[in-house]
Amino acid sequence: MVWVVSLRALPLVSWPTIAVRSPSRSYALTLDPSSGLPPLLHPSNHATLPLTLPPSKYPVIASPGDINSPVDPGIPGSPGPDGVPDLYTVDAQGQLIEYPYVQNRTDIWPPQYHFAPPQILGAVTNTSNHAWDLSDGAGSTAADTSGGLNATLSGAYNWTTDSGRGNVINFTGTTGYAATQSLAVDTSQGCTVSAWVKLTSSAANSTFVSQSDSAGNTNGLQLYYSSGAQAWAFGRHNDDTTSTSYTSVYGTHAVTGQWTHLVGVFDADAEQLSIYVNGHLAGTKTYSGTMWKAAGPLQIGRRLYQGAYGEYANAQISDVRTYPTALPPADAAARGDNPVAVQLD
């Protein structure tokens, strides 16, 4: 697979270069004197690139040329662009990563070049697989604007208009909820859930987002308010049974009457739960349970426990999102949308 074509201008030498992803190689497109053809047509004439960038982990790869060369006092003439193109990727978590292509410090001819250690430049894309803006304003359907997994509203709810967030859904803490027809994320893998919430009452637990199992026992993730701890919380049951064994991480003290952005991250590799409140990491907790998959529907406004639904939200809720990965800290701390990067030019 070809992933970048760029012009490389080295000292005293200039030639276009083409690179391929699998396997990672580069080809200098100088003409072969005997055939008049570029050596790209001769597969033996290539350089192996010391990078492994599979499409599943790095879906966007490109090079805009040499736009960010470091100043290296150890290399004569280094201050300023060195004419060597750098490589940029966007990984599956939406992180923009730069691989600077730099000259070897050893003074040899011809010069040798290599990719310096990658530098994460921040989030550039929204990687949510499902998004319920809850801005529909009427009716009994909460549209999924990202993945097409619409949720059906039932019970005691009403649409209302907020001066800052526009149309939002209001639940009264009794019977109101919204549910999808199938799961949103695989809870046996890393996953993330986020929501904007405005708590109306702190007297009882309020669940903002959860995902049920298919057996009707319990939930595999739960973003909620804990009345016992008087805090925002994120947790999951330790197995797919009706047991009371669960793991939860608690964040900052919860307040009523103001909008709060909550993000719950389950890192399956690190076996850790994290909660972010208004862009700040508020707590982490080691997960002590099994890696099990809640294969039932996503619930907005309630949770499943020992075979029964409850903890109906007494709150206004807006902009619920799920992510099929454990978001890195920079993304989890983001409180707004990032633009979707589909091409780097």
Side-chain angles (χ1 to χ4, degrees):
M1 177 183 296
V2 176
W3 39 269
V4 54
V5 179
S6 59
L7 181 66
R8 181 168 66 183
L10 302 180
L12 305 180
V13 182
S14 296
W15 62 85
T17 298
I18 191 170
V20 298
R21 189 205 295 257
S22 181
S24 295
R25 294 173 178 175
S26 66
Y27 299 84
L29 299 184
T30 51
L31 296 181
D32 185 328
S34 61
S35 66
L37 299 175
L40 177 61
L41 302 182
H42 303 278
S44 60
N45 298 327
H46 68 265
T48 300
L49 297 177
L51 290 176
T52 301
L53 301 171
S56 60
K57 293 185 177 181
Y58 302 92
V60 179
I61 298 178
S63 175
D66 178 31
I67 63 173
N68 192 27
S69 294
V71 175
D72 191 338
I75 300 178
S78 174
D82 57 15
V84 181
D86 307 311
L87 178 66
Y88 291 81
T89 74
V90 177
D91 68 11
Q93 284 73 46
Q95 298 290 303
L96 177 63
I97 303 172
E98 176 191 17
Y99 290 87
Y101 203 53
V102 297
Q103 182 177 332
N104 194 295
R105 293 179 63 89
T106 305
D107 189 13
I108 60 175
W109 185 261
Q112 293 183 357
Y113 294 83
H114 65 279
F115 285 106
Q119 303 175 30
I120 297 178
L121 304 181
V124 297
T125 185
N126 171 30
T127 57
S128 63
N129 63 335
H130 298 289
W132 299 268
D133 296 340
L134 300 178
S135 61
D136 309 81
S140 61
T141 298
D144 175 5
T145 59
S146 183
L149 186 64
N150 295 345
T152 300
L153 286 150
S154 301
Y157 74 90
N158 64 280
W159 295 103
T160 186
T161 302
D162 180 80
S163 59
R165 301 203 58 81
N167 291 332
V168 299
I169 193 71
N170 179 63
F171 294 119
T172 63
T174 54
T175 60
Y177 70 95
T180 63
Q181 291 296 313
S182 59
L183 63 84
V185 289
D186 184 348
T187 61
S188 68
Q189 308 293 324
C191 55
T192 303
V193 59
S194 68
W196 281 92
V197 304
K198 186 177 181 180
L199 190 64
T200 303
S201 172
S202 60
N205 282 20
S206 280
T207 295
F208 310 119
V209 190
S210 68
Q211 186 166 296
S212 309
D213 69 352
S214 57
N217 293 327
T218 188
N219 52 265
L221 62 82
Q222 182 184 8
L223 190 64
Y224 65 107
Y225 159 71
S226 168
S227 59
Q230 294 283 296
W232 310 114
F234 174 62
R236 55 178 285 152
H237 276 75
N238 291 337
D239 54 51
D240 186 12
T241 69
T242 57
S243 75
T244 60
S245 177
Y246 69 93
T247 302
S248 284
V249 57
Y250 299 100
T252 56
H253 179 76
V255 294
T256 61
Q258 69 179 44
W259 284 103
T260 303
H261 189 237
L262 303 177
V263 180
V265 180
F266 174 55
D267 189 331
D269 294 332
E271 298 184 358
Q272 180 175 274
L273 295 164
S274 301
I275 185 169
Y276 290 76
V277 180
N278 288 335
H280 300 283
L281 177 62
T284 59
K285 182 72 174 291
T286 298
Y287 175 64
S288 56
T290 61
M291 299 297 172
W292 66 279
K293 181 179 180 179
L298 184 97
Q299 309 284 334
I300 300 174
R302 68 177 185 173
R303 66 95 175 91
L304 182 64
Y305 178 69
Q306 293 189 313
Y309 284 105
E311 293 189 3
Y312 288 87
N314 196 342
Q316 294 178 11
I317 305 177
S318 173
D319 199 11
V320 172
R321 300 185 180 216
T322 60
Y323 302 78
T325 60
L327 287 184
D331 284 8
R335 299 175 62 183
D337 295 339
N338 292 314
V340 176
V342 294
Q343 180 176 343
L344 296 177
D345 294 321

